[in-house]
Amino acid sequence: MKLTTNQFVRIFAGAFVLISLALGVEASPVFVNANFLWFTAFVGVNLFQSGFTGLCPLENILRKLGVKDRY
């Protein structure tokens, strides 16, 4: 199964949100520091702005690595 840049962006964003929440929420068994929640906010703001501007750093990186936009 070949993934597109859009699919990779969604996978990375979801993974980073889940990881940063696990590391930043005190109830988590892998809690490190509440400041990890800033990373969750960064991912959310980046997704929000990319919806309006179409600018996504990860998408640009993936294209340079040869990942296709479509199948």
Side-chain angles (χ1 to χ4, degrees), residues 2-58:
K2 292 185 179 183
L3 299 176
T4 63
T5 55
N6 190 30
Q7 291 170 310
F8 269 112
V9 168
R10 291 177 185 211
I11 291 168
F12 273 82
F16 280 124
V17 166
L18 291 173
I19 291 167
S20 63
L21 284 174
L23 296 172
V25 175
E26 291 185 28
S28 170
V30 292
F31 170 76
V32 175
N33 189 312
N35 286 324
F36 275 99
L37 296 177
W38 286 106
F39 192 70
T40 306
F42 170 76
V43 172
V45 168
N46 194 40
L47 285 169
F48 184 77
Q49 71 79 23
S50 71
F52 289 103
T53 65
L55 300 173
C56 178
L58 179 58

